[in-house]
């Protein structure tokens, strides 16, 4: 094509020059001039191609047509394809890094000698390192734990290790599982996993089983002792009766314990109570208040004064059996930990924020401040013997806390040693309604209280 164009141009140049000059020498001159013209034109096009390829001429190829145009068009297409692929790879790489950053597990990239190249936020949290500040620092100097140091020194990375990272960094409880893996050309990958919560719940489970076993074994030992006495000695009818009564008491203690354990496990396993069924606050309250008075009579607290107060219009979205259990627990504690001549006031109260609280105030033995944060823990007892004497399992307030939290509320405790205690179960506004607005009920209560003062 190009040769044909050159021949045509030379021929046209020669013919035109000869016609102009009427001499054969003019033809030669014309042909040479046409060839020169062609050379300049052709090289200008080539220069355009080179300039574009060098990237000096913007992205789009210049419009030159012909062979060069075709080449540039194809090269351009390839460039566009490559750019697209590179952008695609960059996006994928970015997403991949984001996923690694979001991982709850720690990932630290190390050089072969243990110097830190990069790590994700979880690893920073695990080891207390800063990827900018500690880049190229030796990981052995930053994760200062003898087990890790030995593991790294031996370089046998076929097992994972467990370290107490909290102790080595002088901060709270933090247990980590670490695994080192080799990758690439002599590089190391340090993976870390925080198992603090798992360890804690494992510990709690072990303690719980130990506590349950202890709580069951104590009455069982007593029962066995009484049975042996009955078997071995020739006792009078009255003595036999006395031992049988004691056996029955221990059996009922075990029964209460098992009932409380089942209540707790049911609370943990069942779905959260819905906000569908509303009921007057007074319905349940009257029942549990009567039960408390019966318990006081059974325990011989005959002069104990138990008074109740519920706003008539108050309605609650609560799961009745759960709240019966929670309210009964608080009232039974008040009866058990208040002397016979003491006073107990219980009731529902609308709160200024639109919520409501169930409260039980007693003039009983009270609780020292250091015990208050632990009262809702399972099997926590301030006074072991008093709790057992009065039939307590140490699970009552744990059940109460579960019930209230399942309803979105909280347990509030105030107490003064020797003066009495006030336990309140707060219920959030979404579970409280009244014929009159709850805020008005609360305001009415406040003004009545201040007049009484
Ligand atoms: P228990 O079955 O032992 O009563 P709870 O979980 O109900 O277990 O209560 C935990 C502990 O809190 C009790 O052992 C008791 O020491 C203390 N306690 C609970 N309520 C009162 C109260 N009204 N007055 C004084 N102490 C209380």
């Amino acid at each position: 094509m190009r040769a044909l164009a050159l021949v045509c141009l030379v021929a046209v140049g020669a013919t035109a020059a000869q016609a102009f000059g009427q001499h054969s020498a003019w033809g030669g001159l014309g042909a040479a001039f046409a060839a020169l013209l062609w050379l300049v034109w052709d090289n200008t096009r080539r220069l355009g191609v080179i300039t574009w390829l060098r990237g000096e001429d913007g992205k789009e190829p210049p419009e030159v047509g012909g062979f060069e145009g075709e080449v540039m068009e194809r090269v351009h297409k390839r460039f566009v394809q490559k750019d697209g692929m590179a952008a695609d790879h960059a996006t994928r790489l970015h997403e991949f890094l984001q996923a690694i950053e979001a991982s709850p597990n720690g990932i630290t990239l190390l050089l072969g000698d243990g110097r830190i190249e990069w790590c994700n936020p979880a690893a920073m949290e695990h080891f207390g390192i800063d990827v900018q500040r500690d880049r190229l620092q030796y990981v052995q100097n930053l994760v200062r734990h003898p087990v890790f140091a030995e593991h790294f020194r031996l370089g046998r990375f076929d097992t994972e290790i467990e370290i107490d990272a909290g102790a080595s960094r002088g901060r709270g409880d933090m247990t980590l599982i670490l695994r080192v893996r080799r990758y690439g050309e002599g590089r190391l990958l340090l993976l870390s996993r925080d198992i603090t919560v798992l360890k804690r719940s494992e510990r709690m489970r072990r303690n719980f089983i130990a506590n349950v076993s202890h709580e069951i074994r104590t009455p069982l030992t007593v029962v066995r002792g009484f049975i042996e006495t009955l078997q071995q000695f020739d006792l009078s009818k009255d003595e036999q009766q006395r031992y049988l009564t004691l056996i029955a008491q221990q059996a009922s203690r075990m029964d209460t314990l098992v009932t409380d354990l089942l209540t707790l496990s049911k609370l943990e396993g069942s779905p959260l109570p819905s906000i569908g069924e509303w009921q007057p606050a007074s319905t349940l309250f009257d029942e549990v208040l009567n039960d408390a008075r019966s318990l006081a009579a059974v325990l011989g607290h005959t002069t104990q004064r138990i008074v109740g107060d519920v706003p008539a219009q108050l309605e609650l979205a609560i799961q009745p059996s759960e709240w019966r259990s929670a309210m009964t627990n608080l009232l039974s504690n008040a009866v058990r930990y208040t002397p016979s001549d003491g006073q107990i006031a219980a009731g529902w109260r609308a709160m200024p924020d639109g919520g409501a609280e169930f409260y039980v105030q007693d003039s009983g033995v009270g609780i020292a401040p250091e015990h208050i944060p632990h009262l809702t823990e399972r099997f926590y007892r301030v006074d072991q013997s008093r709790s057992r004497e009065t039939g307590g399992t140490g699970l009552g307030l744990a059940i109460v806390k579960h019930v209230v939290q399942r309803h979105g509320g909280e347990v509030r405790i105030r107490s003064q040693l020797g003066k009495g205690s006030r336990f309140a179960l707060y219920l959030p506004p979404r579970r409280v309604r009244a014929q009159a607005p709850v805020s008005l009920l609360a305001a009415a209560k406040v003004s009545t209280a201040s007049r009484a003062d």
Side-chain angles (χ1 to χ4, degrees), residues 260 329-330 333-338 362 364-367 375-377 379-384 387-388 390-398 415 420-421 423:
D260 277 1
N329 265 307
L330 287 195
N333 280 352
V335 169
R336 286 159 51 223
Y337 298 107
T338 302
D362 65 55
V365 294
I367 305 156
L375 291 181
T376 55
E377 289 170 15
F379 298 112
Y380 191 89
R381 292 171 169 114
V382 177
D383 182 343
Q384 298 279 350
S387 161
R388 291 213 172 91
T390 55
T393 59
L395 291 174
L397 290 179
S415 188
S421 315
F423 286 78

mmCIF file of all heavy atoms in Angstrom, residues 260 329-330 333-338 362 364-367 375-377 379-384 387-388 390-398 415 420-421 423, ligand 1:
data_model
loop_
_atom_site.group_PDB
_atom_site.id
_atom_site.type_symbol
_atom_site.label_atom_id
_atom_site.label_comp_id
_atom_site.label_asym_id
_atom_site.label_seq_id
_atom_site.Cartn_x
_atom_site.Cartn_y
_atom_site.Cartn_z
ATOM 1 N N ASP A 260 -34.974 -23.507 91.402
ATOM 2 C CA ASP A 260 -34.286 -22.264 91.024
ATOM 3 C C ASP A 260 -33.346 -22.491 89.841
ATOM 4 O O ASP A 260 -33.243 -21.661 88.931
ATOM 5 C CB ASP A 260 -33.487 -21.722 92.218
ATOM 6 C CG ASP A 260 -34.374 -20.903 93.156
ATOM 7 O OD1 ASP A 260 -35.582 -20.787 92.867
ATOM 8 O OD2 ASP A 260 -33.865 -20.394 94.172
ATOM 9 N N ASN A 329 -39.159 -13.214 94.860
ATOM 10 C CA ASN A 329 -37.804 -13.305 95.396
ATOM 11 C C ASN A 329 -37.453 -12.086 96.239
ATOM 12 O O ASN A 329 -36.908 -12.214 97.335
ATOM 13 C CB ASN A 329 -36.794 -13.435 94.248
ATOM 14 C CG ASN A 329 -36.462 -14.884 93.974
ATOM 15 O OD1 ASN A 329 -36.098 -15.603 94.884
ATOM 16 N ND2 ASN A 329 -36.624 -15.317 92.741
ATOM 17 N N LEU A 330 -37.765 -10.881 95.701
ATOM 18 C CA LEU A 330 -37.433 -9.663 96.449
ATOM 19 C C LEU A 330 -38.209 -9.606 97.757
ATOM 20 O O LEU A 330 -37.659 -9.282 98.815
ATOM 21 C CB LEU A 330 -37.752 -8.410 95.620
ATOM 22 C CG LEU A 330 -36.837 -8.080 94.455
ATOM 23 C CD1 LEU A 330 -37.088 -6.642 93.999
ATOM 24 C CD2 LEU A 330 -35.380 -8.256 94.805
ATOM 25 N N ASN A 333 -36.927 -12.191 100.264
ATOM 26 C CA ASN A 333 -35.673 -11.732 100.885
ATOM 27 C C ASN A 333 -35.964 -10.710 101.975
ATOM 28 O O ASN A 333 -35.388 -10.774 103.061
ATOM 29 C CB ASN A 333 -34.758 -11.089 99.834
ATOM 30 C CG ASN A 333 -34.004 -12.128 99.027
ATOM 31 O OD1 ASN A 333 -34.058 -13.310 99.354
ATOM 32 N ND2 ASN A 333 -33.330 -11.697 97.984
ATOM 33 N N ALA A 334 -36.864 -9.750 101.640
ATOM 34 C CA ALA A 334 -37.168 -8.694 102.617
ATOM 35 C C ALA A 334 -37.733 -9.317 103.894
ATOM 36 O O ALA A 334 -37.330 -8.956 105.003
ATOM 37 C CB ALA A 334 -38.164 -7.705 102.015
ATOM 38 N N VAL A 335 -38.631 -10.294 103.738
ATOM 39 C CA VAL A 335 -39.233 -10.949 104.910
ATOM 40 C C VAL A 335 -38.147 -11.693 105.694
ATOM 41 O O VAL A 335 -38.072 -11.606 106.923
ATOM 42 C CB VAL A 335 -40.348 -11.930 104.462
ATOM 43 C CG1 VAL A 335 -40.810 -12.803 105.609
ATOM 44 C CG2 VAL A 335 -41.511 -11.160 103.869
ATOM 45 N N ARG A 336 -37.267 -12.399 104.987
ATOM 46 C CA ARG A 336 -36.265 -13.239 105.650
ATOM 47 C C ARG A 336 -35.160 -12.425 106.313
ATOM 48 O O ARG A 336 -34.613 -12.826 107.330
ATOM 49 C CB ARG A 336 -35.662 -14.211 104.632
ATOM 50 C CG ARG A 336 -36.627 -15.338 104.278
ATOM 51 C CD ARG A 336 -36.285 -15.999 102.947
ATOM 52 N NE ARG A 336 -34.899 -16.392 102.891
ATOM 53 C CZ ARG A 336 -34.125 -16.208 101.828
ATOM 54 N NH1 ARG A 336 -34.601 -15.650 100.735
ATOM 55 N NH2 ARG A 336 -32.882 -16.602 101.843
ATOM 56 N N TYR A 337 -34.800 -11.278 105.707
ATOM 57 C CA TYR A 337 -33.675 -10.502 106.253
ATOM 58 C C TYR A 337 -34.150 -9.303 107.086
ATOM 59 O O TYR A 337 -33.384 -8.374 107.309
ATOM 60 C CB TYR A 337 -32.736 -10.065 105.121
ATOM 61 C CG TYR A 337 -32.124 -11.258 104.399
ATOM 62 C CD1 TYR A 337 -32.541 -11.617 103.118
ATOM 63 C CD2 TYR A 337 -31.159 -12.043 105.027
ATOM 64 C CE1 TYR A 337 -32.000 -12.722 102.476
ATOM 65 C CE2 TYR A 337 -30.617 -13.156 104.388
ATOM 66 C CZ TYR A 337 -31.040 -13.489 103.117
ATOM 67 O OH TYR A 337 -30.507 -14.590 102.498
ATOM 68 N N THR A 338 -35.414 -9.324 107.489
ATOM 69 C CA THR A 338 -35.938 -8.242 108.332
ATOM 70 C C THR A 338 -36.469 -8.878 109.624
ATOM 71 O O THR A 338 -37.193 -9.879 109.553
ATOM 72 C CB THR A 338 -37.073 -7.483 107.594
ATOM 73 O OG1 THR A 338 -36.538 -6.990 106.369
ATOM 74 C CG2 THR A 338 -37.610 -6.331 108.415
ATOM 75 N N ASP A 362 -37.070 -2.408 103.001
ATOM 76 C CA ASP A 362 -37.251 -3.030 104.325
ATOM 77 C C ASP A 362 -36.393 -2.328 105.372
ATOM 78 O O ASP A 362 -35.495 -1.549 105.039
ATOM 79 C CB ASP A 362 -36.909 -4.531 104.249
ATOM 80 C CG ASP A 362 -35.453 -4.789 103.922
ATOM 81 O OD1 ASP A 362 -34.582 -4.270 104.637
ATOM 82 O OD2 ASP A 362 -35.182 -5.529 102.932
ATOM 83 N N GLY A 364 -34.567 -4.008 107.481
ATOM 84 C CA GLY A 364 -33.868 -5.208 107.960
ATOM 85 C C GLY A 364 -32.397 -5.023 108.246
ATOM 86 O O GLY A 364 -31.936 -3.905 108.527
ATOM 87 N N VAL A 365 -31.644 -6.144 108.090
ATOM 88 C CA VAL A 365 -30.230 -6.167 108.506
ATOM 89 C C VAL A 365 -29.331 -5.285 107.636
ATOM 90 O O VAL A 365 -28.252 -4.883 108.066
ATOM 91 C CB VAL A 365 -29.675 -7.618 108.481
ATOM 92 C CG1 VAL A 365 -30.373 -8.463 109.529
ATOM 93 C CG2 VAL A 365 -29.818 -8.238 107.098
ATOM 94 N N GLY A 366 -29.771 -4.987 106.423
ATOM 95 C CA GLY A 366 -28.956 -4.164 105.520
ATOM 96 C C GLY A 366 -27.738 -4.915 104.996
ATOM 97 O O GLY A 366 -27.446 -6.040 105.418
ATOM 98 N N ILE A 367 -27.037 -4.278 104.044
ATOM 99 C CA ILE A 367 -25.897 -4.952 103.387
ATOM 100 C C ILE A 367 -24.736 -3.959 103.324
ATOM 101 O O ILE A 367 -24.933 -2.795 102.942
ATOM 102 C CB ILE A 367 -26.287 -5.368 101.943
ATOM 103 C CG1 ILE A 367 -27.556 -6.233 101.975
ATOM 104 C CG2 ILE A 367 -25.158 -6.107 101.246
ATOM 105 C CD1 ILE A 367 -28.339 -6.207 100.681
ATOM 106 N N LEU A 375 -24.228 -9.008 94.611
ATOM 107 C CA LEU A 375 -25.442 -9.680 95.092
ATOM 108 C C LEU A 375 -26.166 -10.489 94.017
ATOM 109 O O LEU A 375 -26.787 -11.506 94.314
ATOM 110 C CB LEU A 375 -26.428 -8.651 95.669
ATOM 111 C CG LEU A 375 -25.993 -7.975 96.971
ATOM 112 C CD1 LEU A 375 -27.053 -7.005 97.440
ATOM 113 C CD2 LEU A 375 -25.731 -9.019 98.048
ATOM 114 N N THR A 376 -26.070 -10.022 92.748
ATOM 115 C CA THR A 376 -26.822 -10.731 91.702
ATOM 116 C C THR A 376 -26.011 -11.879 91.073
ATOM 117 O O THR A 376 -26.454 -12.510 90.129
ATOM 118 C CB THR A 376 -27.277 -9.751 90.598
ATOM 119 O OG1 THR A 376 -26.128 -9.070 90.128
ATOM 120 C CG2 THR A 376 -28.302 -8.755 91.096
ATOM 121 N N GLU A 377 -24.820 -12.127 91.597
ATOM 122 C CA GLU A 377 -24.037 -13.277 91.093
ATOM 123 C C GLU A 377 -24.632 -14.566 91.655
ATOM 124 O O GLU A 377 -25.113 -14.578 92.800
ATOM 125 C CB GLU A 377 -22.573 -13.173 91.572
ATOM 126 C CG GLU A 377 -21.808 -12.074 90.889
ATOM 127 C CD GLU A 377 -20.441 -11.827 91.533
ATOM 128 O OE1 GLU A 377 -19.984 -12.683 92.314
ATOM 129 O OE2 GLU A 377 -19.868 -10.771 91.259
ATOM 130 N N PHE A 379 -25.113 -17.837 93.567
ATOM 131 C CA PHE A 379 -24.636 -18.416 94.829
ATOM 132 C C PHE A 379 -23.893 -17.422 95.724
ATOM 133 O O PHE A 379 -23.227 -17.827 96.662
ATOM 134 C CB PHE A 379 -23.736 -19.644 94.580
ATOM 135 C CG PHE A 379 -24.458 -20.764 93.890
ATOM 136 C CD1 PHE A 379 -24.146 -21.132 92.595
ATOM 137 C CD2 PHE A 379 -25.477 -21.446 94.545
ATOM 138 C CE1 PHE A 379 -24.825 -22.158 91.953
ATOM 139 C CE2 PHE A 379 -26.151 -22.472 93.909
ATOM 140 C CZ PHE A 379 -25.830 -22.826 92.607
ATOM 141 N N TYR A 380 -23.995 -16.125 95.389
ATOM 142 C CA TYR A 380 -23.338 -15.147 96.267
ATOM 143 C C TYR A 380 -24.224 -14.907 97.483
ATOM 144 O O TYR A 380 -25.398 -14.594 97.348
ATOM 145 C CB TYR A 380 -23.087 -13.823 95.535
ATOM 146 C CG TYR A 380 -22.191 -12.899 96.326
ATOM 147 C CD1 TYR A 380 -20.811 -12.953 96.192
ATOM 148 C CD2 TYR A 380 -22.730 -11.988 97.244
ATOM 149 C CE1 TYR A 380 -19.983 -12.134 96.929
ATOM 150 C CE2 TYR A 380 -21.905 -11.162 97.989
ATOM 151 C CZ TYR A 380 -20.533 -11.233 97.829
ATOM 152 O OH TYR A 380 -19.715 -10.426 98.565
ATOM 153 N N ARG A 381 -23.646 -15.060 98.652
ATOM 154 C CA ARG A 381 -24.408 -14.811 99.882
ATOM 155 C C ARG A 381 -23.573 -13.944 100.802
ATOM 156 O O ARG A 381 -22.374 -14.184 100.949
ATOM 157 C CB ARG A 381 -24.708 -16.110 100.602
ATOM 158 C CG ARG A 381 -25.667 -17.015 99.873
ATOM 159 C CD ARG A 381 -25.669 -18.325 100.605
ATOM 160 N NE ARG A 381 -26.719 -19.201 100.164
ATOM 161 C CZ ARG A 381 -26.489 -20.340 99.548
ATOM 162 N NH1 ARG A 381 -25.263 -20.703 99.260
ATOM 163 N NH2 ARG A 381 -27.500 -21.107 99.213
ATOM 164 N N VAL A 382 -24.215 -12.965 101.420
ATOM 165 C CA VAL A 382 -23.487 -12.131 102.369
ATOM 166 C C VAL A 382 -23.332 -12.927 103.653
ATOM 167 O O VAL A 382 -22.261 -13.005 104.228
ATOM 168 C CB VAL A 382 -24.261 -10.816 102.632
ATOM 169 C CG1 VAL A 382 -23.543 -9.972 103.680
ATOM 170 C CG2 VAL A 382 -24.432 -10.045 101.336
ATOM 171 N N ASP A 383 -24.415 -13.539 104.071
ATOM 172 C CA ASP A 383 -24.408 -14.295 105.330
ATOM 173 C C ASP A 383 -24.851 -15.722 105.001
ATOM 174 O O ASP A 383 -26.046 -15.997 104.850
ATOM 175 C CB ASP A 383 -25.376 -13.589 106.301
ATOM 176 C CG ASP A 383 -25.394 -14.286 107.657
ATOM 177 O OD1 ASP A 383 -24.947 -15.445 107.735
ATOM 178 O OD2 ASP A 383 -25.864 -13.664 108.630
ATOM 179 N N GLN A 384 -23.854 -16.593 104.876
ATOM 180 C CA GLN A 384 -24.126 -17.974 104.450
ATOM 181 C C GLN A 384 -25.174 -18.652 105.337
ATOM 182 O O GLN A 384 -26.156 -19.200 104.856
ATOM 183 C CB GLN A 384 -22.840 -18.819 104.539
ATOM 184 C CG GLN A 384 -21.719 -18.340 103.643
ATOM 185 C CD GLN A 384 -21.892 -18.813 102.213
ATOM 186 O OE1 GLN A 384 -22.757 -19.643 101.930
ATOM 187 N NE2 GLN A 384 -21.112 -18.267 101.316
ATOM 188 N N SER A 387 -28.742 -17.261 105.226
ATOM 189 C CA SER A 387 -29.400 -17.604 103.966
ATOM 190 C C SER A 387 -29.917 -19.050 104.012
ATOM 191 O O SER A 387 -31.057 -19.337 103.663
ATOM 192 C CB SER A 387 -28.427 -17.423 102.808
ATOM 193 O OG SER A 387 -28.859 -18.125 101.694
ATOM 194 N N ARG A 388 -29.052 -19.968 104.474
ATOM 195 C CA ARG A 388 -29.440 -21.386 104.486
ATOM 196 C C ARG A 388 -30.541 -21.635 105.507
ATOM 197 O O ARG A 388 -31.498 -22.346 105.228
ATOM 198 C CB ARG A 388 -28.226 -22.264 104.781
ATOM 199 C CG ARG A 388 -27.227 -22.254 103.631
ATOM 200 C CD ARG A 388 -26.504 -23.581 103.480
ATOM 201 N NE ARG A 388 -25.722 -23.546 102.260
ATOM 202 C CZ ARG A 388 -24.453 -23.135 102.201
ATOM 203 N NH1 ARG A 388 -23.826 -22.754 103.302
ATOM 204 N NH2 ARG A 388 -23.817 -23.108 101.061
ATOM 205 N N THR A 390 -32.832 -19.761 106.464
ATOM 206 C CA THR A 390 -34.159 -19.291 106.051
ATOM 207 C C THR A 390 -34.566 -19.867 104.690
ATOM 208 O O THR A 390 -35.484 -19.372 104.049
ATOM 209 C CB THR A 390 -34.180 -17.752 105.990
ATOM 210 O OG1 THR A 390 -33.118 -17.341 105.124
ATOM 211 C CG2 THR A 390 -33.996 -17.135 107.353
ATOM 212 N N GLY A 391 -33.843 -20.889 104.256
ATOM 213 C CA GLY A 391 -34.232 -21.592 103.033
ATOM 214 C C GLY A 391 -33.751 -20.939 101.750
ATOM 215 O O GLY A 391 -34.285 -21.184 100.663
ATOM 216 N N GLY A 392 -32.709 -20.080 101.827
ATOM 217 C CA GLY A 392 -32.194 -19.405 100.619
ATOM 218 C C GLY A 392 -31.295 -20.314 99.805
ATOM 219 O O GLY A 392 -30.656 -21.219 100.345
ATOM 220 N N THR A 393 -31.252 -20.067 98.493
ATOM 221 C CA THR A 393 -30.392 -20.886 97.625
ATOM 222 C C THR A 393 -29.209 -20.077 97.101
ATOM 223 O O THR A 393 -28.286 -20.633 96.505
ATOM 224 C CB THR A 393 -31.191 -21.372 96.391
ATOM 225 O OG1 THR A 393 -31.663 -20.208 95.696
ATOM 226 C CG2 THR A 393 -32.338 -22.257 96.774
ATOM 227 N N GLY A 394 -29.255 -18.760 97.267
ATOM 228 C CA GLY A 394 -28.194 -17.914 96.720
ATOM 229 C C GLY A 394 -28.410 -17.659 95.230
ATOM 230 O O GLY A 394 -27.562 -17.070 94.559
ATOM 231 N N LEU A 395 -29.569 -18.084 94.725
ATOM 232 C CA LEU A 395 -29.842 -17.893 93.286
ATOM 233 C C LEU A 395 -30.942 -16.858 93.054
ATOM 234 O O LEU A 395 -31.174 -16.428 91.913
ATOM 235 C CB LEU A 395 -30.297 -19.223 92.662
ATOM 236 C CG LEU A 395 -29.231 -20.311 92.561
ATOM 237 C CD1 LEU A 395 -29.836 -21.606 92.059
ATOM 238 C CD2 LEU A 395 -28.105 -19.879 91.631
ATOM 239 N N GLY A 396 -31.615 -16.452 94.132
ATOM 240 C CA GLY A 396 -32.781 -15.565 93.994
ATOM 241 C C GLY A 396 -32.500 -14.298 93.206
ATOM 242 O O GLY A 396 -33.179 -14.004 92.215
ATOM 243 N N LEU A 397 -31.460 -13.553 93.602
ATOM 244 C CA LEU A 397 -31.202 -12.270 92.929
ATOM 245 C C LEU A 397 -30.634 -12.468 91.520
ATOM 246 O O LEU A 397 -30.803 -11.601 90.660
ATOM 247 C CB LEU A 397 -30.270 -11.400 93.777
ATOM 248 C CG LEU A 397 -30.914 -10.853 95.066
ATOM 249 C CD1 LEU A 397 -29.914 -10.024 95.848
ATOM 250 C CD2 LEU A 397 -32.151 -10.017 94.763
ATOM 251 N N ALA A 398 -29.983 -13.622 91.283
ATOM 252 C CA ALA A 398 -29.507 -13.910 89.912
ATOM 253 C C ALA A 398 -30.726 -14.083 89.003
ATOM 254 O O ALA A 398 -30.748 -13.592 87.858
ATOM 255 C CB ALA A 398 -28.662 -15.176 89.911
ATOM 256 N N SER A 415 -28.603 0.200 100.092
ATOM 257 C CA SER A 415 -28.713 -0.462 101.400
ATOM 258 C C SER A 415 -27.758 0.176 102.397
ATOM 259 O O SER A 415 -26.739 0.760 102.009
ATOM 260 C CB SER A 415 -28.375 -1.944 101.241
ATOM 261 O OG SER A 415 -28.647 -2.615 102.454
ATOM 262 N N GLY A 420 -31.384 -1.200 106.765
ATOM 263 C CA GLY A 420 -32.366 -1.712 105.817
ATOM 264 C C GLY A 420 -31.918 -1.570 104.370
ATOM 265 O O GLY A 420 -30.858 -1.008 104.087
ATOM 266 N N SER A 421 -32.720 -2.107 103.465
ATOM 267 C CA SER A 421 -32.353 -2.123 102.042
ATOM 268 C C SER A 421 -33.542 -1.718 101.183
ATOM 269 O O SER A 421 -34.706 -1.845 101.595
ATOM 270 C CB SER A 421 -31.935 -3.525 101.606
ATOM 271 O OG SER A 421 -31.076 -4.104 102.541
ATOM 272 N N PHE A 423 -34.603 -2.542 97.208
ATOM 273 C CA PHE A 423 -34.360 -3.184 95.911
ATOM 274 C C PHE A 423 -35.430 -2.680 94.957
ATOM 275 O O PHE A 423 -36.617 -2.715 95.290
ATOM 276 C CB PHE A 423 -34.471 -4.713 96.026
ATOM 277 C CG PHE A 423 -33.303 -5.350 96.723
ATOM 278 C CD1 PHE A 423 -33.190 -5.310 98.100
ATOM 279 C CD2 PHE A 423 -32.303 -5.997 96.001
ATOM 280 C CE1 PHE A 423 -32.110 -5.895 98.760
ATOM 281 C CE2 PHE A 423 -31.221 -6.588 96.635
ATOM 282 C CZ PHE A 423 -31.127 -6.530 98.021
HETATM 283 P P1 LIG B 1 -30.524 -16.106 99.092
HETATM 284 O O1 LIG B 1 -31.281 -17.229 98.584
HETATM 285 O O2 LIG B 1 -29.303 -16.449 99.844
HETATM 286 O O3 LIG B 1 -31.367 -15.106 99.774
HETATM 287 P P2 LIG B 1 -30.349 -14.147 97.013
HETATM 288 O O4 LIG B 1 -29.691 -14.237 95.685
HETATM 289 O O5 LIG B 1 -31.798 -13.887 97.027
HETATM 290 O O6 LIG B 1 -29.942 -15.450 97.775
HETATM 291 O O7 LIG B 1 -29.627 -13.003 97.809
HETATM 292 C C1 LIG B 1 -28.222 -12.958 97.844
HETATM 293 C C2 LIG B 1 -27.751 -12.419 99.169
HETATM 294 O O8 LIG B 1 -28.108 -11.034 99.277
HETATM 295 C C3 LIG B 1 -28.401 -13.065 100.348
HETATM 296 O O9 LIG B 1 -27.701 -14.210 100.740
HETATM 297 C C4 LIG B 1 -28.342 -11.985 101.382
HETATM 298 O O10 LIG B 1 -27.126 -12.040 102.061
HETATM 299 C C5 LIG B 1 -28.394 -10.698 100.599
HETATM 300 N N1 LIG B 1 -29.754 -10.090 100.595
HETATM 301 C C6 LIG B 1 -30.695 -10.192 99.666
HETATM 302 N N2 LIG B 1 -31.788 -9.461 99.991
HETATM 303 C C7 LIG B 1 -31.515 -8.877 101.149
HETATM 304 C C8 LIG B 1 -32.237 -7.988 102.017
HETATM 305 N N3 LIG B 1 -33.464 -7.550 101.701
HETATM 306 N N4 LIG B 1 -31.623 -7.578 103.131
HETATM 307 C C9 LIG B 1 -30.382 -7.992 103.434
HETATM 308 N N5 LIG B 1 -29.647 -8.820 102.693
HETATM 309 C C10 LIG B 1 -30.207 -9.271 101.564
#
